[in-house]
Amino acid sequence: MGIWRIVKDLKFPLHRSLLELSVSEYPHTINYVIKRRMQIDSYLELPEDKRPPRSIWDKPSELEEWFDRVFSDGSKQTEFSLPVKEDEIER
Amino acid sequence: MSKIAKLFRWHKKVEIKEGDKVLDTVYVRLVGDAEFQEAKNLSLTRSKALRIKLRNPETDEYKASFSDLETLTRDELLMGITFGEIADYRDEALLQMPEKEIPPLPDSPSLEEQENYEEMVRARQMERAESLTKYIEKRADERKAELSKIEDIGKLREMYTHSIINLKCSEEFTKSFREYQIYKGTFKDAKFQELAFDSFEEYSQCSSRLKDMLLTAYVSLELTGEELKN
C-alpha cells in the first residue's frame, strides 16, 4: 500500500519494466492490482463507520447492499422535484 | 521473492532446446487486459460447443466419454458425481469461510514485531488452506451419503453424465483460456512486437513438449488470485 501511494502522489513510473508500455499493454496482473488498490483507497477515504468490511470486498451484491444501507436514511426516494422558474424559460 | 517483486517480473526469455542445443529463443510475457478478455470469450465459446456435443448421444464426444455408462457400478457412479462436483465444493468453501481480516501492524513496528507478524500471516494462510481442504472432504462425504440413498440407477447415471459434462467443459475452458494467453503472450522479439505464432491454430498444433515449455514459463510469471488480492 505504501509503495502505491508514493508512486501515485509523486507520479513516478510504477516500475522501470513498464516504461515503454502504454497502460493498455500492462500485464493483466498489474492492472488488476492497480484497480484493486484504487478500490481499497476509495474505501479508506470514507469515514470509518461507512467503510465496507474486508470480508465483502469481493462480493459485489453485498457491497451494493452495504452502501445502500450506510448511505441511505432508511427511506427510499420515490419522487423527484425539479424547480423551474417560468420567467427563466427561453421562449 | 516478495509478492511485489514477483508482480513486476512479468516477462522472460525462453530458450527452446533439444538437449544442449538451443533451437530458438522466444520471449514470453503476461498478456494485457484485452487479450485476457479475448481468452475468456474464446474459452467460453469452446466450452459451450463441447457441452452441446457432450449432451448429444449421437456425437463422437459423447460416445468417447460415456460408452461405458451402462456398465458402471453404483459406487463408480457416486465417485464420478462427487469428483465432478469438487470445484463446486471448493467455491462453496471459499464462500463459507471468507478470509479473516488480519489485524494491522502497530505504528512504527519493531523488527521483532514485524517478524512475528509475518509468521502469524503465514500460519493463518496455512490454517485456512487446511480448513478449506477439510471442508471439501467433508462436503464430498456428505454428498456421497446423500447420493447413496437414491435407488434409481437411471437417475444416478443422469447425474453422473451431468457432473462429468460439467467437469469436461470446465477443463476445456481452463485449457483454452491458458493456451490462448500463451499464444498471445509469446513473441519473437524482446520488445514484444511480433508474435511467435501466426495463428492460434498454429500454436494449438505445436508439439506438446514445446507447449509444456511455454506453459511452464508463462505460469512462472503469474500470481494466484489470492496473491493478487492480498
Side-chain angles (χ1 to χ4, degrees), chain B residues 154-202:
Chain B
K155 176 79 184 157
L156 286 178
R157 285 187 187 128
E158 195 183 303
M159 293 171 83
Y160 172 88
T161 316
H162 179 77
S163 192
I164 297 299
I165 289 176
N166 277 344
L167 180 69
K168 285 185 178 282
C169 290
S170 169
E171 285 170 355
E172 174 65 22
F173 176 87
T174 309
K175 179 173 159 276
S176 304
F177 188 52
R178 177 68 77 199
E179 288 197 339
Y180 192 81
Q181 286 181 70
I182 296 170
Y183 154 60
K184 283 286 192 177
T186 307
F187 290 81
K188 286 181 181 168
D189 59 306
K191 289 199 176 274
F192 311 113
Q193 298 298 310
E194 197 179 347
L195 285 175
F197 299 96
D198 290 337
S199 65
F200 185 42
E201 282 61 40
E202 187 189 54

Side-chain angles (χ1 to χ4, degrees), chain B residues 8-24:
Chain B
F8 290 115
R9 203 177 144 270
W10 54 273
H11 60 87
K12 74 190 310 184
K13 181 175 158 183
V14 179
E15 290 181 336
I16 316 288
K17 287 182 177 174
E18 182 77 65
D20 287 340
K21 195 181 166 199
V22 178
L23 301 176
D24 204 352

Side-chain angles (χ1 to χ4, degrees), chain B residues 6-211:
Chain B
K6 198 175 174 199
L7 179 68
F8 290 115
R9 203 177 144 270
W10 54 273
H11 60 87
K12 74 190 310 184
K13 181 175 158 183
V14 179
E15 290 181 336
I16 316 288
K17 287 182 177 174
E18 182 77 65
D20 287 340
K21 195 181 166 199
V22 178
L23 301 176
D24 204 352
T25 303
V26 291
Y27 299 84
V28 174
R29 61 155 288 177
L30 291 180
V31 296
D33 279 353
E35 293 89 0
F36 191 76
Q37 191 57 44
E38 269 174 40
K40 195 172 171 186
N41 295 343
L42 174 119
S43 316
L44 284 170
T45 309
R46 291 198 166 194
S47 151
K48 175 81 183 165
L50 179 63
R51 192 178 297 275
I52 290 169
K53 286 179 186 166
L54 285 170
R55 279 181 177 164
N56 180 357
E58 302 305 317
T59 61
D60 291 343
E61 285 78 3
Y62 180 93
K63 286 170 192 159
S65 302
F66 302 116
S67 59
D68 60 348
L69 186 61
E70 302 295 316
T71 63
L72 293 176
T73 63
R74 283 181 66 84
D75 276 352
E76 286 168 337
L77 290 169
L78 298 193
M79 286 286 285
I81 297 169
T82 45
F83 182 64
E85 289 177 352
I86 280 187
D88 297 338
Y89 308 152
R90 194 183 53 236
D91 291 345
E92 208 178 287
L94 289 170
L95 204 68
Q96 293 291 324
M97 294 188 289
E99 214 172 355
K100 284 181 195 151
E101 226 158 309
I102 296 175
L105 263 172
D107 291 340
S108 313
S110 67
L111 181 61
E112 190 179 358
E113 280 174 327
Q114 292 179 58
E115 291 162 2
N116 292 340
Y117 186 80
E118 276 306 305
E119 197 179 305
M120 184 266 289
V121 170
R122 268 198 301 275
R124 287 261 188 115
Q125 285 167 344
M126 294 268 288
E127 200 182 297
R128 183 155 188 263
E130 278 170 25
S131 309
L132 290 173
T133 308
K134 273 188 195 156
Y135 182 97
I136 294 167
E137 286 170 356
K138 184 170 163 267
R139 192 67 188 77
D141 288 344
E142 283 170 0
R143 182 72 170 141
K144 270 186 214 156
E146 193 184 303
L147 291 167
S148 63
K149 289 179 193 155
I150 299 176
E151 289 186 5
D152 181 358
I153 194 138
K155 176 79 184 157
L156 286 178
R157 285 187 187 128
E158 195 183 303
M159 293 171 83
Y160 172 88
T161 316
H162 179 77
S163 192
I164 297 299
I165 289 176
N166 277 344
L167 180 69
K168 285 185 178 282
C169 290
S170 169
E171 285 170 355
E172 174 65 22
F173 176 87
T174 309
K175 179 173 159 276
S176 304
F177 188 52
R178 177 68 77 199
E179 288 197 339
Y180 192 81
Q181 286 181 70
I182 296 170
Y183 154 60
K184 283 286 192 177
T186 307
F187 290 81
K188 286 181 181 168
D189 59 306
K191 289 199 176 274
F192 311 113
Q193 298 298 310
E194 197 179 347
L195 285 175
F197 299 96
D198 290 337
S199 65
F200 185 42
E201 282 61 40
E202 187 189 54
Y203 168 80
S204 304
Q205 285 159 14
C206 280
S207 73
S208 54
R209 199 168 151 263
L210 173 60
K211 284 205 240 177

